[in-house]
Amino acid sequence: MSRAERLLQLLQVLRRYRRPVSGQALSDELGVSIRTLYRDIASLQAQGAMIEGEPGIGYVMKPGFMLPPIMLGSEELDALVLGMRWVADRCDKTLSSGALSALAKIAAVLPAELHRELEESSLLVGAPLTRPTHTISPDLLRAAVRAEQKLDITYVNGAGIHSRRIVWPFALVYFDQSRVLMCWCELRADFRNFRSDRILSVEQMEERYPKKRSTLLREWRKFNQVASRTILPESDSIDR
C-alpha cells in the first residue's frame, strides 16, 4: 500500500468515529506502527485535515470535513463501473441518467491512470431477457419512500384479483425482471411486498405514515429473520 493510500484509509477510518479513538486502536486497525500512525496524523493535519487530539488522549475528525478525491483500487473501480452500468441499463430514465452523471463526475476527479482504466473497463452488463412494463412511474414510488408518505394503490395479483390498499412504502427492491415495493399494508396489518408492474394506479396521500422508514426497515429485517422470508419477485412474500 502506498503512503497516499494509507493516508486516505486513515481518513476513512476516522470518519467512522464520533468520539476520540486512541492512536493504538487506529494503528492496530490500519496495521501500522504507532510511530507511523502519529506521523501520518501530523501529515494530514499539516495538509488541512481537521483532526483534533494528541497522543495519550485520542483523535477525532471534525464533522463536515470533506475527503479529497478518492483513490480507488482495481477491484473497487471494477465494482463501481459495473454497478453504475447495471443501474444505467436496468433502471428507469431518472436513475439511469443519475448513474451516468455520477460516473462522469467520478471519472473527472480520478488520476489519469485510473481514468484510463475506468474508460477501458471490460466489465459489461448483458441485456435482460425481458424488461418489465410499468404503468406507474418509479419516480413516484421513490418519492413516496423518501417522503415517508402513505400510498393509496390498486393492485392486481398473479391470479388477476384486484384489491385496493393503503400502504406505507419504505423500500424499493430492484430485480432484473421486476421491481418490488416493500410496504406495511393497513388492510393486512402486516408487511407486504407489491410488484410495481402489477400496481394499476397509485395516489400519493398527504398523510405521512406514523413511523420512520428506517424503523420499518429494521422491523421488517427482524420479522424476516423470524419468518425466514426472502424478498423474491415470485414468492409468498409478494401479496396475492
Side-chain angles (χ1 to χ4, degrees):
M1 180 188 297
S2 68
R3 183 168 183 271
E5 290 175 319
R6 192 178 71 241
L7 292 177
L8 179 59
Q9 186 178 5
L10 174 55
L11 284 173
Q12 291 171 327
V13 169
L14 282 168
R15 288 187 70 186
R16 300 203 309 263
Y17 292 95
R18 296 185 178 182
R19 296 180 179 180
V21 57
S22 71
Q24 188 61 57
L26 290 171
S27 67
D28 290 343
E29 183 169 351
L30 294 169
V32 299
S33 69
I34 191 68
R35 285 187 61 186
T36 298
L37 185 280
Y38 289 152
R39 187 166 59 247
D40 287 349
I41 287 178
S43 296
L44 289 172
Q45 289 172 329
Q47 295 174 36
M50 294 183 289
I51 301 172
E52 296 182 338
E54 57 186 74
I57 296 178
Y59 298 92
V60 65
M61 189 159 62
K62 287 185 178 180
F65 177 71
M66 300 299 293
L67 290 176
I70 296 178
M71 295 291 294
L72 300 171
S74 295
E75 292 78 10
E76 293 171 327
L77 190 61
D78 282 345
L80 176 65
V81 172
L82 184 60
M84 292 294 188
R85 286 177 175 173
W86 190 94
V87 172
D89 182 76
R90 295 288 200 275
C91 296
D92 55 272
K93 290 183 179 180
T94 302
L95 282 186
S96 177
S97 176
L100 294 175
S101 176
L103 195 57
K105 289 179 179 179
I106 292 170
V109 298
L110 287 175
E113 181 179 349
L114 286 178
H115 186 276
R116 184 167 54 254
E117 188 173 339
L118 182 149
E119 289 186 332
E120 297 174 354
S121 173
S122 57
L123 297 182
L124 307 176
V125 177
L129 296 177
T130 59
R131 293 183 183 272
T133 301
H134 296 87
T135 303
I136 305 303
S137 168
D139 290 347
L140 191 155
L141 300 180
R142 288 195 298 269
V145 171
R146 284 194 297 267
E148 301 178 341
Q149 287 182 298
K150 294 184 179 183
L151 291 178
D152 182 343
I153 69 171
T154 302
Y155 188 75
V156 58
N157 65 13
I161 300 174
H162 292 62
S163 63
R164 185 177 176 184
R165 312 291 184 92
I166 303 298
V167 298
W168 309 352
F170 60 89
L172 188 60
V173 185
Y174 285 76
F175 295 91
D176 271 351
Q177 308 303 329
S178 64
R179 310 288 181 261
V180 173
L181 186 67
M182 298 172 60
C183 306
W184 174 267
C185 176
E186 292 188 355
L187 177 65
R188 302 299 188 191
D190 197 359
F191 291 107
R192 286 292 188 271
N193 300 327
F194 299 91
R195 280 181 47 159
S196 60
D197 56 324
R198 292 180 179 171
I199 298 177
L200 303 180
S201 67
V202 60
E203 179 183 349
Q204 187 169 347
M205 304 173 67
E206 293 185 3
E207 183 182 0
R208 296 184 64 179
Y209 49 77
K211 294 185 179 181
K212 293 288 186 181
R213 67 174 183 270
S214 57
T215 300
L216 287 172
L217 188 56
R218 284 195 301 270
E219 290 178 353
W220 175 87
R221 284 172 173 158
K222 183 177 180 180
F223 171 78
N224 189 59
Q225 290 174 352
V226 174
S228 297
R229 293 184 179 181
T230 55
I231 316 172
L232 296 176
E234 295 290 355
S235 74
D236 290 339
S237 65
I238 302 295
D239 204 86
R240 297 180 179 274

